[in-house]
Amino acid sequence: MHTQLTHQMALAPTGDIMIACAMGAAALGVLALYFGALLSIVRSDLTGGMKLVWLVFALMAPFLGCLLWFLVGRRDSQRRPGIA
């Protein structure tokens, strides 16, 4: 029984390995998007209040907030620089 279990574990299906690699790559991509958006929000030309709004939104809804920042907020911050 033990040798049969060891043999089955040694021959892991290739599909499982591919799925695990794809999930790992997707997780790294989401983390890169998240930290990239946070850094981009902090370094933007927005006023302090708008930066706080975007940061809270990105922290409360990590994927959606970061995605919206790159699609809408970043472009908007470049058009209307904040008050110094």
Side-chain angles (χ1 to χ4, degrees):
M1 176 77 171
H2 180 64
T3 57
Q4 183 182 9
L5 182 61
T6 305
H7 181 67
Q8 287 177 352
M9 289 175 58
L11 298 175
T14 307
D16 291 343
I17 294 170
M18 294 298 289
I19 290 171
C21 288
M23 289 178 65
L28 285 176
V30 169
L31 282 174
L33 175 75
Y34 181 68
F35 288 116
L38 291 179
L39 185 63
S40 178
I41 292 168
V42 170
R43 296 178 69 190
S44 72
D45 290 335
L46 293 174
T47 61
M50 282 308 294
K51 279 186 189 183
L52 183 63
V53 168
W54 275 107
L55 282 172
V56 168
F57 188 55
L59 291 172
M60 296 301 286
F63 184 73
L64 181 63
C66 295
L67 193 63
L68 285 176
W69 165 254
F70 283 119
L71 293 176
V72 178
R74 189 169 184 210
R75 208 172 348 160
D76 192 39
S77 74
Q78 291 172 350
R79 262 188 282 164
R80 292 185 295 159
I83 300 170

